[in-house]
Amino acid sequence: MRKGLDRVVDALRLAAAGLDQLFERKGIKSHMMPNPDGHPWIRVMHPMHEVRFIGITPNRGDGPIYLKLRVFLYEQYKDEFDRLLLGKFFSFEGVALLRNPAYPGASWLRYLEDEGRPVVGYETTINVSAWPDETFNARIHSLCEEFCFFARAVVTGGAEYDALPDTRPSKPAPAWLRDEAALEELQANSDLSESEILALVKIRIGQSNYRQQLIQRWGGCSVTGCKLTEFLIASHIHAWGKCESADERWDPDNGLLLTPSLDKLFDRGLIGFDDSGYVVIHPNLARGQMHHFGVDQNIRLRRDVLNKHLGIMKYLKRHRQVNGLEPISVA
């Protein structure tokens, strides 16, 4: 269990008890802590006729721990869902939390399918890593309870909804928020192998706003300048799966736009780039084969873009370090 997750699990177990009592609909054991894929979460099942369930779960991967708070409604309740995504924001301790649609992966669909009735989802997140131990359990309990009250008020509408505070986020939602949610669901899919998940992640990134940001920045291949962008690949410098946070995963400084052959070599660590942008070639890439991939000692990242975005260099260095492309210093 990763650092800090154990106290979250303990706090969620305490918070789960009694959440179903916040709703009028009774008779279903609605607070649970199942581990269908080894990951802890709260389910509040069928708390209202319109709601399939409310879910609260920690994020996956490394880095800071944040809680994902979700509501899945039956698709027919369009007005209620519109209020979730377009109406008042859920706020906790006076801070409005950003929101986005939630896309259930295969492992979630097992819990969402209900007599063939399709569902739609809402999601918001909150970082709990820095919450002190002394107040942690109490704050998690309050967070879960207040989120259930919020969901009830939004779905019910009327006076209960009107009484909710109308707090707005201090900054707009980042463009990557929806893509991050979709990719996390992919990772949670226990029916896929690791290689299948990585392949689907690559496809999703290729369809994302992140790719458009790289096209805007580079205007073509980061090395050759090729402007046939439909054939270029959005490639992470520091690998997507090794990034420590969502900010790193979706940082345009952590991306290059490459031709398929250069992307494959770069992704496998057979080439990298130094701080000046010049290619660094791994010894495993035979010199007699380099020209077949359009690689020689003189290729480099385009200077006009690199000089404007110096944040790229830290990711280039990490890529070199991970793939053994850094020069060995001699004492």
Side-chain angles (χ1 to χ4, degrees):
M1 188 175 293
R2 81 182 195 266
K3 183 179 179 181
L5 187 58
D6 52 348
R7 70 170 186 161
V8 175
V9 173
D10 291 341
L12 286 178
R13 286 200 178 99
L14 293 172
L19 289 180
D20 58 327
Q21 299 303 308
L22 306 178
F23 301 90
E24 291 184 5
R25 186 169 178 170
K26 301 292 190 298
I28 301 173
K29 185 177 180 182
S30 57
H31 51 276
M32 302 176 66
M33 282 294 298
N35 294 288
D37 53 6
H39 204 61
W41 57 307
I42 287 177
R43 286 190 304 169
V44 184
M45 296 296 298
H46 287 298
M48 306 173 73
H49 291 290
E50 301 89 345
V51 179
R52 181 66 174 97
F53 81 82
I54 296 169
I56 302 168
T57 180
N59 63 314
R60 296 173 175 275
D62 299 320
I65 295 176
Y66 56 89
L67 288 183
K68 302 165 78 71
L69 303 103
R70 293 163 165 158
V71 182
F72 285 96
L73 277 68
Y74 293 110
E75 192 177 56
Q76 69 198 75
Y77 297 104
K78 187 177 184 306
D79 291 343
E80 290 80 357
F81 187 63
D82 284 347
R83 276 200 297 271
L84 274 171
L85 282 184
L86 304 175
K88 294 180 178 180
F89 287 80
F90 172 62
S91 61
F92 183 67
E93 297 180 342
V95 178
L97 304 181
L98 300 171
R99 63 195 175 192
N100 58 274
Y103 300 96
S107 60
W108 278 76
L109 283 174
R110 291 197 295 269
Y111 302 97
L112 294 175
E113 291 171 353
D114 185 49
E115 300 175 356
R117 297 169 67 187
V119 295
V120 287
Y122 156 99
E123 175 182 274
T124 187
T125 62
I126 183 169
N127 190 331
V128 301
S129 297
W131 289 7
D133 290 339
E134 312 84 73
T135 58
F136 192 80
N137 286 355
R139 291 175 79 183
I140 293 292
H141 185 276
S142 294
L143 173 70
C144 296
E145 188 173 88
E146 288 180 29
F147 185 66
C148 287
F149 279 131
F150 169 79
R152 189 184 74 184
V154 172
V155 173
T156 302
E160 192 169 356
Y161 177 74
D162 293 340
L164 290 174
D166 194 6
T167 310
R168 299 282 163 172
S170 58
K171 58 182 179 179
W176 49 257
L177 197 60
R178 182 180 298 190
D179 295 313
E180 177 75 5
L183 288 176
E184 190 158 310
E185 291 300 339
L186 269 179
Q187 287 184 295
N189 192 336
S190 57
D191 299 325
L192 298 175
S193 68
E194 184 177 353
S195 59
E196 288 173 323
I197 290 173
L198 290 175
L200 289 171
V201 164
K202 194 89 172 175
I203 292 171
R204 178 74 194 199
I205 291 170
Q207 299 167 341
S208 68
N209 183 69
Y210 185 69
R211 171 181 163 79
Q212 296 307 313
Q213 287 181 294
L214 294 179
I215 290 174
Q216 273 190 331
R217 171 176 287 198
W218 291 94
C221 175
S222 304
V223 176
T224 68
C226 170
K227 296 189 180 299
L228 299 174
T229 55
E230 64 268 32
F231 299 111
L232 301 180
I233 296 172
S235 183
H236 275 79
I237 300 173
H238 185 54
W240 184 89
K242 295 178 181 177
C243 290
E244 295 180 357
S245 67
D247 287 330
E248 279 193 357
R249 284 191 284 276
W250 303 104
D251 184 354
D253 284 345
N254 190 24
L256 299 175
L257 206 58
L258 298 172
T259 60
S261 57
L262 289 176
D263 169 73
K264 186 67 73 176
L265 294 174
F266 186 76
D267 190 51
R268 295 193 176 184
L270 292 172
I271 64 171
F273 299 95
D274 65 21
D275 288 344
S276 298
Y278 285 101
V279 70
V280 180
I281 301 173
H282 197 282
N284 288 348
L285 183 59
R287 291 188 180 276
Q289 300 298 317
M290 292 191 303
H291 69 280
H292 293 301
F293 299 100
V295 175
D296 62 46
Q297 297 281 1
N298 297 313
I299 68 169
R300 58 162 298 162
L301 294 175
R302 287 168 37 218
R303 185 179 303 162
D304 58 326
V305 179
L306 186 61
N307 289 345
K308 291 179 183 176
H309 303 283
L310 300 180
I312 296 173
M313 293 181 185
K314 69 177 181 181
Y315 293 111
L316 293 176
K317 181 177 179 66
R318 288 165 75 177
H319 179 269
R320 295 194 302 270
Q321 290 172 333
V322 167
N323 293 289
L325 295 169
E326 282 281 70
I328 300 174
S329 57
V330 180

